[in-house]
Amino acid sequence: QVQLVESGGGLVQAGGSLRLSCTASGSISSINAMGWYRQAPGKQRELVATITSGGSTMYTDSVKGRFTISRGNAKNTVYLQMNDLKPEDTAVYYCNADLTLYSSRHTYRYWGQGTQVTVSS
């Protein structure tokens, strides 16, 4: 079994900051990449940022220069530092991990439960 536990969501004023955290647990052999997606009401889920085990990062254009994704020393955690938040950032943010279990040779994508981020104008 795999769990992705998120924390750090909440309500913040425009221009403020939040730091999201996600920790993966279970019988994990390796984690190839972790990332964050978000979904606003009435909209499709979109990729926000990803980071590989080697430290390569990718951001969607709308958050470049404002958000920073990073991983902890244990490599089973991922953070999303969100600065200069805007109302359009309001969404449910989902952590994901592309990982391999000890019981399998294949890599699968797992998802957290989502955490609400609300930015007031």
Side-chain angles (χ1 to χ4, degrees):
Q1 65 278 11
V2 174
Q3 285 189 339
L4 299 179
V5 180
E6 303 173 354
S7 63
L11 176 65
V12 66
Q13 293 183 349
S17 299
L18 285 173
R19 189 189 190 219
L20 305 183
S21 301
C22 175
T23 299
S25 62
S27 300
I28 300 170
S29 176
S30 62
I31 300 177
N32 183 58
M34 300 184 76
W36 294 92
Y37 288 69
R38 67 185 181 186
Q39 187 169 24
K43 297 183 179 180
Q44 295 183 351
R45 186 175 299 185
E46 67 171 345
L47 177 66
V48 177
T50 61
I51 184 167
T52 69
S53 59
S56 298
T57 59
M58 186 280 299
Y59 301 90
T60 190
D61 287 342
S62 63
V63 307
K64 288 180 179 177
R66 300 188 298 121
F67 291 10
T68 302
I69 190 170
S70 62
R71 294 184 67 177
N73 291 334
K75 302 301 181 182
N76 66 333
T77 59
V78 63
Y79 306 97
L80 186 68
Q81 179 66 47
M82 304 184 294
N83 297 326
D84 191 24
L85 283 161
K86 304 178 184 300
E88 53 262 41
D89 295 318
T90 296
V92 177
Y93 284 71
Y94 297 90
C95 171
N96 80 278
D98 296 334
L99 58 83
T100 302
L101 301 177
Y102 285 111
S103 60
S104 176
R105 297 190 301 272
H106 303 291
T107 298
Y108 297 93
R109 175 163 292 181
Y110 294 85
W111 296 90
Q113 78 286 351
T115 183
Q116 177 70 48
V117 172
T118 302
V119 184
S120 62
S121 60

